[in-house]
Amino acid sequence: REHKEDFGSPEELVKKEIVRSLPALRTLPEHTEAIATQLRSGRMVLRTERYAGADRAVVETWLNRILVATSGAAGAVTSAVLLVAGSLTSNRTIRDVIWTLGFMGLTTTTVLLMRTVAQALHAQLTSSD
């Protein structure tokens, strides 16, 4: 609002931008005709791939790490819930079974998360060399 006078009215601003872009718009019919000719003759093929080459490998690596870390974190939370549930029960047999499952899950998820961190550090060291 303070600099409205500097830019002018919205209509004037639109007119200025259209006049500024006229040189580029002047060649637009020629480009459209060239694209249409290539499409009709079958010489133009449009392929889109968001991540290709080295970018694809990097994105897939990060997605795999995120998936492993997420599943490891979910396993750690599940193991913690089992350990808490085992400590709340009064039956010794059930408590021992639930604690065994909880500690096994906690060990497995810890190893999984450490493996993910080790792979990330290894990839970082090899990429810096």
Side-chain angles (χ1 to χ4, degrees):
R1 293 181 193 174
E2 295 174 3
H3 299 285
K4 187 175 182 179
E5 295 82 25
D6 295 340
F7 294 116
S9 68
E11 293 84 14
E12 290 174 0
L13 186 61
V14 169
K15 285 179 186 177
K16 286 179 189 176
E17 287 299 316
I18 289 174
V19 169
R20 189 180 65 81
S21 63
L22 276 178
L25 293 175
R26 208 175 295 138
T27 60
L28 188 62
E30 296 169 9
H31 294 304
T32 306
E33 181 65 29
I35 291 172
T37 302
Q38 289 180 4
L39 282 171
R40 274 181 265 152
S41 67
R43 291 183 295 158
M44 182 175 185
V45 178
L46 182 65
R47 293 187 184 132
T48 60
E49 190 170 334
R50 200 164 281 230
Y51 300 105
D55 292 340
R56 181 177 185 153
V58 169
V59 170
E60 284 180 353
T61 301
W62 277 106
L63 287 176
N64 288 338
R65 288 182 188 160
I66 289 170
L67 181 64
V68 169
T70 304
S71 62
V77 169
T78 304
S79 298
V81 168
L82 282 173
L83 292 173
V84 169
S87 67
L88 295 176
T89 186
S90 59
N91 189 340
R92 183 178 172 87
T93 307
I94 294 174
R95 184 185 67 213
D96 290 343
V97 169
I98 291 176
W99 276 1
T100 303
L101 290 174
F103 282 119
M104 284 178 20
L106 199 59
T107 303
T108 303
T109 57
T110 302
V111 168
L112 187 63
L113 290 174
M114 286 192 303
R115 179 181 174 271
T116 304
V117 170
Q119 282 182 338
L121 290 174
H122 177 72
Q124 185 178 13
L125 289 175
T126 56
S127 67
S128 65
D129 291 340

